[in-house]
Amino acid sequence: FAGTLSMVTYGEKKILSNAHVLAYHPDTNKPLALGTPTIQQGSLDGGTVDSNKVGELYKYITINFNSFWRPNYADAAIAKLDLNVEGLSGVQFAEGGNYTVSGFTLVNKGDTVRKSGRTTGVTANKVTSNNASLFIWYGNKWAYFKDQILVNQPFLQAGDSGSLVDKNGQFVGLAFAGSDTIAVVCKAINVMAGLGISVR
């Protein structure tokens, strides 16, 4: 899968990303079984289970497709790192120097947020909404999301899904969709509540 993985949980080492990156088949949008291998780099970038396995799917938030009456609040999943794989909690990799994200915070319209992604690297832009409702297309299926953060483009492109978004070094949410004019970020509080995790 093409996407971004961020290690942000403590205790057992885990990777946080989008459900559509870690937990759903990219061609059918059908959920994968828990324990399915997680690879980095992703298969679209040439990664294979034999050479690039870093962990296994551990937990995810189910995406409710094609239903206005069952809204979604977060596109998120976690994978458990293999014992032989090292991970640095909260570290986001960047060409100009890595940075660390810890804790979490809320955002308001006009705030500047940042992300480090697989395709576009580190980018920052302004929040245009902190409570948006919208439809997101996943191939031939759609999903209705509520309580989302919208960020002005340029911020992300295809392959940046799963990027951890922060404000002043605090976790804001996960980038997971976008258009030419806006990027969509699911809130940290909804990610953590849906997965039953905490970020310190």
XYZ file of all heavy atoms in Angstrom, residues 62-142:
625
model
N -13.755 0.375 11.714
C -14.503 -0.028 10.523
C -15.023 1.199 9.780
O -15.550 2.134 10.388
C -15.686 -0.929 10.911
O -15.179 -2.092 11.574
C -16.490 -1.345 9.690
N -14.854 1.202 8.468
C -15.416 2.263 7.630
C -16.793 1.820 7.153
O -16.933 0.756 6.537
C -14.502 2.553 6.423
C -13.116 2.993 6.891
C -15.132 3.630 5.531
C -12.103 3.145 5.773
N -17.797 2.617 7.454
C -19.154 2.332 6.994
C -19.346 2.947 5.612
O -19.358 4.168 5.467
C -20.177 2.920 7.975
C -20.075 2.310 9.355
O -19.987 1.098 9.501
N -20.066 3.144 10.380
N -19.470 2.083 4.608
C -19.579 2.540 3.227
C -21.043 2.673 2.806
O -21.922 1.930 3.272
C -18.888 1.555 2.274
C -17.396 1.517 2.391
C -16.752 0.410 2.925
C -16.613 2.587 1.962
C -15.376 0.363 3.028
C -15.237 2.555 2.065
C -14.618 1.443 2.602
N -21.283 3.630 1.900
C -22.573 3.779 1.217
C -23.747 3.895 2.186
O -24.820 3.355 1.945
C -22.798 2.604 0.254
C -21.725 2.513 -0.807
O -21.057 3.488 -1.127
N -21.541 1.333 -1.356
N -23.545 4.605 3.294
C -24.622 4.806 4.263
C -24.537 6.206 4.852
O -23.574 6.534 5.555
C -24.551 3.768 5.387
O -25.514 4.057 6.388
N -25.557 7.000 4.583
C -25.648 8.328 5.190
C -26.020 8.224 6.664
O -25.697 9.108 7.459
C -26.690 9.163 4.440
C -26.849 10.559 4.978
C -25.928 11.543 4.650
C -27.910 10.889 5.810
C -26.069 12.837 5.150
C -28.061 12.173 6.306
C -27.131 13.148 5.966
N -26.678 7.145 7.053
C -27.210 6.996 8.406
C -26.199 6.395 9.371
O -26.458 6.320 10.575
C -28.484 6.143 8.379
C -29.488 6.699 7.417
C -29.889 6.166 6.227
C -30.191 7.940 7.538
N -30.783 6.974 5.599
C -30.998 8.074 6.379
C -30.214 8.952 8.503
C -31.815 9.179 6.180
C -31.035 10.046 8.298
C -31.823 10.153 7.151
N -25.047 5.964 8.874
C -23.986 5.450 9.753
C -22.716 6.258 9.482
O -21.806 5.802 8.791
C -23.745 3.964 9.503
C -24.906 3.073 9.898
C -24.500 1.606 9.814
N -24.080 1.235 8.467
C -23.288 0.195 8.194
N -22.809 -0.553 9.160
N -22.972 -0.080 6.932
N -22.654 7.478 10.027
C -21.502 8.337 9.737
C -20.214 7.796 10.326
O -20.207 7.079 11.335
C -21.883 9.671 10.385
C -22.850 9.309 11.455
C -23.616 8.129 10.927
N -19.124 8.152 9.677
C -17.782 7.814 10.139
C -17.149 9.045 10.777
O -17.473 10.182 10.414
C -16.917 7.362 8.958
C -17.469 6.145 8.266
O -17.240 5.025 8.688
N -18.221 6.354 7.180
N -16.230 8.797 11.698
C -15.536 9.895 12.363
C -14.020 9.817 12.207
O -13.335 10.816 12.397
C -15.915 9.943 13.844
C -17.359 10.336 14.045
C -18.371 9.382 14.062
C -17.723 11.675 14.158
C -19.699 9.742 14.211
C -19.055 12.051 14.309
C -20.036 11.069 14.329
O -21.343 11.434 14.465
N -13.506 8.634 11.887
C -12.058 8.506 11.708
C -11.737 7.337 10.792
O -12.379 6.293 10.850
C -11.367 8.314 13.062
N -10.738 7.530 9.952
C -10.168 6.477 9.096
C -8.815 6.160 9.716
O -7.822 6.843 9.459
C -10.032 7.016 7.670
C -9.456 6.011 6.688
O -8.747 5.090 7.144
O -9.673 6.169 5.476
N -8.767 5.122 10.573
C -7.557 4.884 11.351
C -7.397 3.411 11.698
O -8.383 2.681 11.849
C -7.591 5.710 12.638
N -6.143 3.001 11.819
C -5.808 1.620 12.181
C -4.442 1.600 12.837
O -3.640 2.533 12.682
C -5.805 0.717 10.947
N -4.166 0.523 13.573
C -2.842 0.330 14.140
C -2.342 -1.068 13.789
O -3.109 -2.011 13.680
C -2.792 0.547 15.671
C -3.913 -0.217 16.382
C -2.826 2.011 16.003
C -3.881 -0.052 17.884
N -1.034 -1.159 13.614
C -0.350 -2.431 13.414
C 0.688 -2.582 14.513
O 1.262 -1.592 14.984
C 0.327 -2.478 12.042
N 0.908 -3.811 14.949
C 1.919 -4.075 15.965
C 3.240 -4.373 15.284
O 3.309 -5.211 14.387
C 1.479 -5.247 16.842
C 2.410 -5.516 18.007
C 1.754 -6.350 19.093
C 1.372 -7.718 18.588
N 0.871 -8.580 19.686
N 4.286 -3.663 15.699
C 5.604 -3.862 15.109
C 6.164 -5.233 15.462
O 5.993 -5.718 16.584
C 6.583 -2.806 15.618
C 6.633 -1.447 14.919
C 7.647 -0.553 15.615
C 6.978 -1.584 13.455
N 6.861 -5.850 14.506
C 7.594 -7.074 14.789
C 8.707 -6.784 15.802
O 9.232 -5.659 15.876
C 8.206 -7.636 13.506
C 7.153 -8.187 12.549
O 6.017 -8.450 13.000
O 7.476 -8.342 11.354
N 9.087 -7.799 16.569
C 10.071 -7.618 17.637
C 11.421 -7.152 17.125
O 12.155 -6.442 17.815
C 10.235 -8.930 18.424
C 9.018 -9.371 19.242
C 9.290 -10.718 19.887
C 8.668 -8.327 20.297
N 11.766 -7.530 15.898
C 13.087 -7.177 15.363
C 13.100 -5.833 14.646
O 14.110 -5.446 14.073
C 13.580 -8.268 14.401
C 12.679 -8.414 13.181
O 11.498 -8.064 13.238
N 13.218 -8.934 12.097
N 11.983 -5.107 14.684
C 11.880 -3.817 13.994
C 11.968 -2.700 15.028
O 11.224 -2.680 15.999
C 10.566 -3.703 13.207
C 10.444 -2.327 12.558
C 10.488 -4.799 12.150
N 12.886 -1.773 14.797
C 13.025 -0.647 15.712
C 12.034 0.448 15.340
O 11.678 0.614 14.184
C 14.450 -0.088 15.661
C 15.506 -1.043 16.189
C 16.877 -0.407 16.233
O 16.966 0.822 16.054
O 17.854 -1.146 16.444
N 11.612 1.183 16.355
C 10.713 2.300 16.118
C 10.988 3.403 17.116
O 11.341 3.143 18.270
N 10.847 4.642 16.683
C 11.077 5.798 17.535
C 9.747 6.483 17.783
O 9.161 7.054 16.866
C 12.069 6.759 16.869
C 13.460 6.177 16.554
C 14.270 7.170 15.738
C 14.181 5.830 17.843
N 9.270 6.422 19.009
C 7.938 6.933 19.328
C 7.820 8.419 19.027
O 8.604 9.233 19.521
C 7.633 6.692 20.807
O 7.567 5.320 21.083
N 6.828 8.742 18.198
C 6.509 10.131 17.924
C 7.402 10.823 16.918
O 7.141 11.959 16.544
N 8.470 10.161 16.455
C 9.405 10.818 15.545
C 8.830 10.852 14.130
O 8.408 9.829 13.598
C 10.781 10.114 15.550
C 11.696 10.716 14.478
C 11.424 10.226 16.921
N 8.816 12.036 13.545
C 8.376 12.215 12.168
C 9.609 12.517 11.321
O 10.407 13.404 11.659
C 7.376 13.371 12.066
C 6.186 13.224 13.000
C 5.409 11.951 12.737
O 4.855 11.768 11.660
N 5.359 11.070 13.719
N 9.761 11.779 10.232
C 10.972 11.895 9.426
C 10.833 13.021 8.401
O 9.797 13.166 7.759
C 11.270 10.570 8.737
C 11.529 9.466 9.722
C 10.552 8.540 10.015
C 12.745 9.390 10.382
C 10.780 7.534 10.944
C 12.991 8.399 11.305
C 12.009 7.469 11.590
N 11.891 13.809 8.273
C 11.868 14.957 7.372
C 13.261 15.204 6.835
O 14.256 15.025 7.551
C 11.361 16.194 8.115
N 13.335 15.620 5.567
C 14.630 15.861 4.929
C 15.436 16.930 5.658
O 16.639 16.825 5.812
C 14.428 16.262 3.462
C 14.122 15.100 2.541
C 14.127 15.512 1.082
O 14.703 16.570 0.767
O 13.563 14.782 0.258
N 14.770 17.958 6.132
C 15.474 19.052 6.802
C 15.779 18.784 8.257
O 16.329 19.647 8.938
N 15.416 17.610 8.758
C 15.638 17.267 10.162
C 14.375 16.695 10.774
O 13.291 17.264 10.607
N 14.506 15.579 11.438
C 13.351 14.930 12.046
C 12.788 15.786 13.174
O 13.495 16.598 13.776
C 13.740 13.554 12.582
C 14.237 12.633 11.493
O 13.994 12.862 10.304
N 14.946 11.585 11.874
N 11.508 15.598 13.456
C 10.881 16.286 14.585
C 9.992 15.303 15.325
O 9.639 14.243 14.806
C 10.098 17.515 14.114
C 8.974 17.246 13.151
C 7.663 17.022 13.599
C 9.195 17.228 11.777
C 6.624 16.788 12.710
C 8.162 17.001 10.881
C 6.876 16.778 11.358
O 5.852 16.552 10.469
N 9.648 15.637 16.563
C 8.889 14.730 17.420
C 7.531 15.329 17.757
O 7.408 16.526 18.026
C 9.657 14.446 18.723
O 10.917 13.858 18.388
C 8.896 13.484 19.617
N 6.516 14.477 17.738
C 5.161 14.865 18.115
C 4.792 14.120 19.391
O 5.004 12.911 19.494
C 4.153 14.534 16.988
C 2.725 14.837 17.428
C 4.494 15.307 15.722
N 4.246 14.842 20.355
C 3.798 14.215 21.601
C 2.556 14.938 22.108
O 2.347 16.110 21.816
C 4.900 14.253 22.663
O 5.237 15.586 22.981
N 1.729 14.217 22.869
C 0.480 14.792 23.328
C -0.470 15.040 22.178
O -0.195 14.678 21.031
N -1.615 15.646 22.443
C -2.548 15.979 21.374
C -3.248 17.281 21.695
O -3.251 17.744 22.843
C -3.561 14.850 21.147
C -4.619 14.730 22.214
C -5.858 15.329 22.060
C -4.366 14.019 23.375
C -6.827 15.227 23.041
C -5.324 13.903 24.371
C -6.562 14.497 24.201
N -3.843 17.881 20.679
C -4.520 19.150 20.861
C -5.646 19.289 19.849
O -5.710 18.547 18.860
C -3.524 20.333 20.723
O -4.170 21.545 21.126
C -3.054 20.484 19.279
N -6.525 20.232 20.082
C -7.586 20.591 19.154
C -7.125 21.777 18.317
O -6.171 22.466 18.672
C -8.867 20.938 19.908
C -9.418 19.863 20.846
C -10.626 20.387 21.607
C -9.767 18.600 20.083
N -7.806 22.018 17.208
C -7.461 23.154 16.357
C -8.691 23.998 16.085
O -9.832 23.543 16.202
C -6.848 22.703 15.009
C -5.504 22.040 15.220
C -7.796 21.792 14.242
N -8.436 25.236 15.705
C -9.481 26.175 15.316
C -9.224 26.668 13.900
O -8.102 26.558 13.384
C -9.503 27.369 16.276
C -9.855 26.966 17.690
O -10.903 26.360 17.936
N -8.975 27.294 18.632
N -10.248 27.196 13.286
C -10.112 27.792 11.960
C -9.023 28.855 12.005
O -8.979 29.689 12.919
C -11.443 28.399 11.528
C -11.427 28.977 10.124
C -12.798 29.501 9.741
C -12.772 30.110 8.346
N -14.121 30.609 7.952
N -8.117 28.803 11.031
C -7.025 29.760 10.964
C -5.722 29.258 11.540
O -4.663 29.852 11.289
N -5.766 28.171 12.329
C -4.532 27.593 12.868
C -3.690 27.001 11.738
O -4.227 26.519 10.733
C -4.844 26.482 13.869
C -5.373 27.006 15.191
O -5.311 28.223 15.420
O -5.863 26.176 15.991
N -2.390 27.005 11.902
C -1.485 26.358 10.960
C -1.129 24.974 11.476
O -0.771 24.813 12.648
C -0.207 27.182 10.764
O -0.549 28.444 10.189
C 0.774 26.465 9.839
N -1.262 23.965 10.616
C -0.910 22.594 10.971
C 0.130 22.071 9.985
O 0.309 22.615 8.899
C -2.152 21.673 10.996
C -3.113 22.082 12.108
C -2.875 21.670 9.650
N 0.779 20.977 10.387
C 1.901 20.436 9.621
C 1.751 18.926 9.503
O 1.150 18.274 10.352
C 3.191 20.779 10.366
C 4.451 20.087 9.898
C 5.655 20.476 10.755
N 5.511 20.090 12.154
C 6.484 20.180 13.063
N 7.658 20.668 12.724
N 6.268 19.798 14.310
N 2.335 18.366 8.451
C 2.400 16.917 8.312
C 3.682 16.526 7.593
O 4.280 17.320 6.869
C 1.178 16.363 7.569
C 1.158 16.623 6.062
C 1.623 15.406 5.281
C 1.695 15.666 3.792
N 2.784 16.574 3.398
N 4.106 15.275 7.804
C 5.226 14.703 7.057
C 4.717 13.462 6.350
O 4.297 12.505 7.006
C 6.382 14.343 7.997
O 7.437 13.732 7.276
N 4.729 13.474 5.028
C 4.107 12.403 4.263
C 5.035 11.739 3.266
O 6.079 12.289 2.890
N 4.617 10.600 2.791
C 5.396 9.785 1.855
C 5.627 10.496 0.527
O 6.700 10.403 -0.065
C 4.667 8.454 1.655
C 5.143 7.601 0.471
C 4.170 7.723 -0.676
N 4.391 6.752 -1.733
C 3.783 6.816 -2.908
N 2.931 7.776 -3.172
N 4.025 5.898 -3.823
N 4.635 11.235 0.023
C 4.724 11.823 -1.313
C 5.286 13.235 -1.296
O 6.183 13.560 -2.072
C 3.337 11.833 -1.979
O 2.810 10.503 -1.990
C 3.412 12.351 -3.410
N 4.767 14.074 -0.427
C 5.103 15.498 -0.460
C 5.996 15.944 0.685
O 6.305 17.133 0.792
C 3.821 16.361 -0.475
O 3.034 16.042 0.674
C 3.016 16.112 -1.739
N 6.417 15.015 1.546
C 7.304 15.395 2.644
C 6.604 16.273 3.664
O 5.406 16.125 3.927
N 7.345 17.228 4.218
C 6.788 18.108 5.252
C 6.115 19.307 4.585
O 6.728 20.012 3.788
C 7.887 18.592 6.212
C 7.310 19.565 7.245
C 8.536 17.400 6.916
N 4.850 19.512 4.921
C 4.098 20.662 4.420
C 3.293 21.252 5.568
O 3.005 20.582 6.561
C 3.137 20.282 3.282
O 2.226 19.271 3.754
C 3.884 19.750 2.065
N 2.907 22.500 5.414
C 2.076 23.172 6.411
C 1.084 24.073 5.696
O 1.379 24.623 4.632
C 2.937 23.988 7.376
N -0.108 24.210 6.287
C -1.096 25.134 5.750
C -2.149 25.405 6.819
O -2.092 24.826 7.911
C -1.730 24.599 4.459
C -2.006 25.712 3.461
O -2.406 26.823 3.840
N -1.803 25.433 2.179
N -3.129 26.225 6.460
C -4.090 26.708 7.454
C -5.379 25.877 7.463
O -5.848 25.429 6.417
C -4.433 28.181 7.195
C -3.279 29.127 7.488
C -3.714 30.568 7.468
C -2.543 31.493 7.790
N -2.025 31.259 9.144
N -5.928 25.730 8.658
C -7.211 25.062 8.859
C -8.328 25.981 8.394
O -8.379 27.161 8.763
C -7.399 24.705 10.350
C -8.800 24.172 10.614
C -6.346 23.706 10.804
N -9.239 25.431 7.566
C -10.387 26.212 7.106
C -11.684 25.815 7.805
O -12.658 26.552 7.774
C -10.590 26.069 5.591
O -10.859 24.696 5.274
C -9.346 26.522 4.838
N -11.715 24.636 8.421
C -12.876 24.191 9.195
C -12.417 23.140 10.200
O -11.511 22.354 9.920
C -13.951 23.585 8.280
O -15.023 23.049 9.056
N -13.048 23.144 11.391
C -12.745 22.106 12.378
C -13.965 21.252 12.703
O -13.962 20.514 13.693
C -12.170 22.720 13.664
C -13.173 23.593 14.396
O -14.277 23.858 13.901
N -12.808 24.052 15.581
N -14.996 21.331 11.855
C -16.214 20.555 12.109
C -16.966 20.299 10.806
O -18.158 20.555 10.699
C -17.113 21.283 13.110
C -18.286 20.435 13.563
O -18.223 19.209 13.555
N -19.375 21.081 13.946
N -16.258 19.759 9.816
C -16.857 19.569 8.492
C -17.519 18.198 8.368
O -17.093 17.218 8.984
C -15.793 19.717 7.411
N -18.575 18.147 7.563
C -19.221 16.893 7.167
C -19.105 16.769 5.663
O -19.375 17.743 4.937
C -20.692 16.877 7.586
O -20.828 16.961 8.989
N -18.711 15.592 5.182
C -18.496 15.439 3.744
C -18.469 13.971 3.354
O -18.343 13.084 4.204
C -17.204 16.129 3.297
C -15.857 15.590 3.775
C -14.738 16.247 2.978
C -15.630 15.849 5.246
N -18.616 13.738 2.038
C -18.556 12.398 1.477
C -17.157 12.171 0.895
O -16.632 13.033 0.200
C -19.606 12.217 0.381
C -21.016 12.275 0.880
C -21.713 13.479 0.933
C -21.666 11.128 1.313
C -23.012 13.537 1.401
C -22.967 11.175 1.779
C -23.638 12.376 1.825
N -16.584 11.015 1.184
C -15.270 10.643 0.680
C -15.436 9.406 -0.195
O -16.066 8.425 0.210
C -14.290 10.329 1.825
C -14.165 11.525 2.777
C -12.933 9.908 1.273
C -13.532 12.748 2.175
N -14.855 9.451 -1.386
C -14.920 8.304 -2.292
C -13.702 7.406 -2.097
O -12.570 7.873 -2.036
C -15.005 8.772 -3.740
C -16.377 9.224 -4.107
C -16.876 10.491 -4.035
C -17.441 8.390 -4.552
N -18.188 10.499 -4.417
C -18.576 9.227 -4.747
C -17.569 7.032 -4.816
C -19.792 8.749 -5.184
C -18.792 6.543 -5.261
C -19.884 7.397 -5.446
N -13.961 6.102 -1.976
C -12.935 5.066 -1.916
C -13.168 4.151 -3.114
O -13.946 3.203 -3.033
C -13.054 4.249 -0.629
C -12.756 4.999 0.655
C -13.729 5.784 1.264
C -11.513 4.886 1.271
C -13.455 6.449 2.451
C -11.236 5.537 2.460
C -12.212 6.317 3.044
O -11.954 6.969 4.226
N -12.517 4.436 -4.218
C -12.774 3.660 -5.424
C -14.221 3.825 -5.849
O -14.686 4.938 -6.107
N -14.979 2.721 -5.887
C -16.379 2.790 -6.307
C -17.345 2.854 -5.124
O -18.540 2.687 -5.300
C -16.723 1.576 -7.191
C -16.538 0.254 -6.454
O -16.054 0.222 -5.332
N -16.919 -0.837 -7.115
N -16.827 3.080 -3.922
C -17.676 3.219 -2.735
C -17.467 4.596 -2.117
O -16.424 5.218 -2.298
C -17.315 2.151 -1.687
C -17.516 0.720 -2.142
C -17.122 -0.248 -1.029
C -17.303 -1.695 -1.447
N -16.896 -2.631 -0.360
N -18.485 5.067 -1.381
C -18.338 6.328 -0.680
C -18.614 6.118 0.802
O -19.253 5.144 1.214
C -19.277 7.401 -1.253
C -20.734 7.031 -1.298
C -21.407 6.466 -2.345
C -21.703 7.184 -0.245
N -22.725 6.261 -2.023
C -22.940 6.693 -0.737
C -21.656 7.691 1.041
C -24.107 6.698 0.032
C -22.811 7.695 1.815
C -24.028 7.208 1.304
